[in-house]
Amino acid sequence: MSTTLTQRPRTAPNERVKSATGTGRYPQALLHHIVAPALRLPEAAAASVFAATRQRGPIARDVIAQVTGLSIATVNRQVTALLEVGLLRERADLAVSGAIGRPRVPVEVNHEPYLTLGVHIGARTTSIVAADLFGRTLDVVETPTPRGPQAAALAAIAASTRRYLSRWHRRRPLWVGVATGGVVDSVTGYLDHPRLGWSDAPVGPVLAESLGLPVSVASHVDAMAGAELLLGVRRQPTASATSLYVYARETVGYALSIGGRVHSPSSGPGTIAALPVYSELLGGTGQLESTVSDDAVLSAARKARIVPADGATSTVTAVLRAARQGNEEAIALVAERARVLGEAVALLRDMLNPDDLVVGGQAFTEYPEGMGIVESSFAERSVLGHRDIRVTAFGNRVQEAGAGIVSLGGLYADPVAAMRRASRRPEVSA
């Protein structure tokens, strides 16, 4: 059954101070550690300098000035500030022979002392990701998303995250980023997640209280679009460029980036779960999410006896394996999902007509053999001119990339202020 998200009015942060247990109130210092995610390309001078160093370092200050268009005086000031907070380090050993003065000493990102923590809360699985300052995944663990009462589930996720963080003795954690489905209030870190049965769930405050770190919470599809924007291999967009990101796995969703910034409506993301589609083979529900989801494919495969009705081998992975091994019924199922997805992407493209079109999620990436069908179905259905479909740069790791960039977005957007915020620890529970 598809889920249609309802928008709820935003509640002022000071009206949401009750703790997850319902027995107390979150300290104001803790609430200040909930920070709206920054899913945008760098704009401020320090952010531009840090981005140039991440992408090109070790790099000299005069080259940074050329790359960013900033004056050498501005670059020197920002490099000094980034050195002071510990995000950059000088490489005197790489200075040009005969050069005089520190401005000729290259700088690079001082990444070894730090990490950020990303948490992707999925309908079935929760991933905890450690990332470095380049956005590279250092490590990831997956656990089943807790079921049961909301408060207990949040407490379990916080406990798992805290245990995981305790393993990292040589790196200082700076930030926590959460990517999840549902309707997210990024200002307060609360969310509604109908599939999990969560309503006004204080995800951000619970994690800030447990970990003592700044926390940002974002819609998972917005987060994935942010990863493409900030970490994917692509050219810098113009001020008016638009990019459409379409996601499909167990849920479906989309995000739109405009001029180097992921568009995140204050009332939460829109939904394409109920987009009209038709597929008798996949269940004939008439709605996108309940037609192309893993559950829909698995249900159809069980009915066709491609996989057993239950047990360890009754999985979508087993269906895809059967298709690769030449099972004609399995091939027909995954081809039908690809067809429906291609037509749905075409509808979205025709409505929004973006400059760039990206698809991600395991419905696309776990069976790349189906992308040809997606593309042909898209081309046949779209009434506009030709447009290439680009598959996510992160493959099957797109969920962890999304969570990782939510944890890094604040550092990338305003690195000096982010480091100062990360140094101010909120009050945490014992």
Side-chain angles (χ1 to χ4, degrees):
M1 179 180 295
S2 67
T3 301
T4 302
L5 302 181
T6 57
Q7 307 300 336
R8 55 179 168 78
R10 173 174 288 178
T11 305
N14 61 0
E15 294 177 14
R16 284 193 178 149
V17 292
K18 198 171 183 180
S19 74
T21 62
T23 58
R25 297 173 75 82
Y26 288 119
Q28 197 64 32
L30 183 146
L31 295 178
H32 289 161
H33 271 61
I34 309 303
V35 185
L39 303 176
R40 62 179 185 271
L41 292 175
E43 299 170 344
S48 297
V49 170
F50 190 49
T53 309
R54 288 197 323 273
Q55 294 159 5
R56 298 168 180 259
I59 185 172
R61 291 163 174 80
D62 58 344
V63 179
I64 295 175
Q66 294 171 14
V67 169
T68 61
L70 299 170
S71 70
I72 190 65
T74 298
V75 169
N76 282 332
R77 285 196 300 273
Q78 302 307 325
V79 167
T80 298
L82 291 166
L83 289 168
E84 288 175 350
V85 296
L87 286 175
L88 297 186
R89 63 188 175 198
E90 292 185 318
R91 291 293 305 273
D93 57 311
L94 299 179
V96 177
S97 178
I100 301 174
R102 291 182 65 189
R104 302 297 300 173
V105 177
V107 293
E108 66 181 7
V109 174
N110 185 29
H111 62 95
E112 285 95 345
Y114 307 112
L115 65 80
T116 63
L117 213 58
V119 182
H120 178 264
I121 304 174
R124 297 179 182 273
T125 303
T126 292
S127 302
I128 305 174
V129 184
D132 70 7
L133 296 183
F134 292 104
R136 300 176 300 199
T137 297
L138 300 172
D139 184 59
V140 59
V141 296
E142 293 187 348
T143 60
T145 299
R147 301 294 173 178
Q150 173 177 301
L154 291 177
I157 290 172
S160 295
T161 307
R162 190 165 189 165
R163 284 194 300 271
Y164 178 77
L165 191 58
S166 69
R167 304 178 188 177
W168 296 89
H169 303 296
R170 297 183 180 180
R171 288 181 182 257
R172 173 189 162 195
L174 299 176
W175 211 279
V176 180
V178 181
T180 182
V183 179
V184 175
D185 187 331
S186 60
V187 173
T188 63
Y190 281 66
L191 67 93
D192 293 337
H193 199 312
R195 288 182 68 91
L196 295 178
W198 295 0
S199 177
D200 223 24
V203 174
V206 167
L207 287 172
E209 186 176 47
S210 176
L211 303 176
L213 294 169
V215 178
S216 298
V217 186
S219 157
H220 66 155
V221 184
D222 284 357
M224 294 172 204
E228 293 293 331
L229 186 67
L230 290 164
L231 300 177
V233 178
R234 56 170 295 144
R235 62 183 180 274
Q236 183 112 340
T238 64
S240 60
T242 57
S243 177
L244 173 65
Y245 185 92
V246 182
Y247 171 82
R249 188 185 190 182
E250 192 56 54
T251 60
V252 295
Y254 78 99
L256 190 65
S257 298
I258 304 172
R261 181 187 296 260
V262 177
H263 175 60
S264 300
S266 59
S267 57
T271 177
I272 58 173
L275 199 69
V277 299
Y278 175 76
S279 174
E280 187 173 336
L281 190 60
L282 287 170
T285 64
Q287 297 185 341
L288 179 61
E289 185 170 282
S290 53
T291 301
V292 301
S293 68
D294 283 359
D295 270 351
V297 173
L298 184 56
S299 177
R302 287 168 174 167
K303 289 179 182 177
R305 298 185 179 179
I306 298 168
V307 294
D310 52 34
T313 60
S314 185
T315 63
V316 169
T317 300
V319 178
L320 301 181
R321 187 184 307 116
R324 291 194 179 97
Q325 292 172 349
N327 184 302
E328 292 185 1
E329 290 180 301
I331 291 172
L333 277 182
V334 293
E336 179 70 349
R337 174 157 75 167
R339 179 194 69 79
V340 174
L341 284 169
E343 291 188 354
V345 172
L347 284 173
L348 288 170
R349 181 271 172 117
D350 286 357
M351 286 190 294
L352 300 170
N353 196 19
D355 301 303
D356 190 31
L357 180 57
V358 187
V359 296
Q362 280 75 357
F364 295 104
T365 60
E366 203 162 25
Y367 190 71
E369 297 92 331
M371 273 306 300
I373 299 171
V374 172
E375 290 168 345
S376 61
S377 174
F378 167 83
E380 184 177 344
R381 179 64 180 82
S382 178
V383 300
L384 299 180
H386 173 76
R387 180 60 45 85
D388 289 330
I389 299 177
R390 183 163 58 87
V391 180
T392 175
F394 302 99
N396 285 345
R397 300 172 60 190
V398 66
Q399 288 87 1
E400 65 187 63
I405 200 59
V406 177
S407 72
L408 286 162
L411 285 158
Y412 286 3
D414 194 346
V416 175
M419 287 296 285
R420 290 170 178 163
R421 181 184 288 273
S423 298
R424 296 196 300 267
R425 301 289 172 161
E427 300 175 36
V428 297
S429 57

